Amino acid sequence: MSEIMIKICGLTTEDTMRAALDAGADMVGLVFFPKSPRHVSLSQACKLADMARGRAQVVALTVNMDLDSLSRINELVRPDLFQFHGSETPEAIAAAKVMFGKPVMKAVAISSADDLEEARFFAVVADRLLFDAKPPKGSDLPGGNGVSFDWDLLKDLDLPKPFMLSGGLDPSNVAEAIRRSGARAVDVSSGVERDKGVKDIEKIKAFVAAARSTFAVAGE
């Protein structure tokens, strides 16, 4: 059975990073995508990653980034894994994995059962898949849009790699999402914010607590 993971993504300040770590998040995500309200500079990211090192896995989220830019993040921020959240090909992901020698997670946008077939191509090269909802029309952000998909699509999903559930999760619905999807790992960004790109410390605590208690019951 895959390992339980709770990820807080899109952290941008020391206060919210500290809150995520103190709450017991297993993974913390730093976003390197200028269009996102959660984008961090390399200097910001280095400070935040240093806070998290040894307490949670540091995830560098990128979108269709070239290898030179990925190398710079790898060298300066030293993330534990890369999350690819764009239209990267399996070949590009495989190349990055070999180049950096680190685990990689690929986000796959879901709206119907047909989209799960795409996941099988990425499962060959990625160490973990992240299932997110397809962006609403007009959005230029591939994730962090606060929309969800039918969690029942993931029930009894047979994949060779573990997956993480994302998209529209928040403290009030994460328990239901875990029960319906069978997920052992969850990811949240906009669902623990008070304003777009601004994390709420109490919501972070509530999300981790709700997910943790649901996983504990599911494991009984």
Side-chain angles (χ1 to χ4, degrees), residues 55-128:
R55 296 184 65 187
Q57 292 184 41
V58 178
V59 181
L61 185 158
T62 66
V63 180
N64 302 328
M65 186 176 278
D66 62 79
L67 281 174
D68 284 346
S69 300
L70 289 171
S71 294
R72 194 156 170 74
I73 292 170
N74 187 56
E75 181 184 341
L76 296 176
V77 182
R78 296 183 293 130
D80 295 295
L81 68 155
F82 280 94
Q83 175 180 331
F84 297 104
H85 216 107
S87 56
E88 300 91 355
T89 63
E91 293 78 13
I93 290 167
K97 185 175 175 178
V98 169
M99 186 170 180
F100 305 125
K102 291 188 175 164
V104 296
M105 176 160 62
K106 177 68 177 92
V108 179
I110 302 291
S111 66
S112 70
D114 292 341
D115 297 317
L116 292 171
E117 286 308 307
E118 181 185 4
R120 302 192 185 281
F121 293 105
F122 289 109
V124 177
V125 292
D127 298 279
R128 183 187 291 272

Side-chain angles (χ1 to χ4, degrees), residues 11-13 30-33 38-45 48:
L11 293 160
T12 58
T13 66
L30 303 174
V31 175
F32 299 90
F33 185 51
R38 303 162 191 101
H39 172 70
V40 287
S41 66
L42 283 170
S43 59
Q44 276 178 291
L48 296 172

Side-chain angles (χ1 to χ4, degrees), residues 14 51 60 63 120 131 140 157 173 192 214 220:
E14 293 183 21
M51 288 178 67
V63 180
R120 302 192 185 281
F131 293 124
D140 55 3
L157 183 64
N173 68 13
V192 290
T214 307
E220 290 175 357

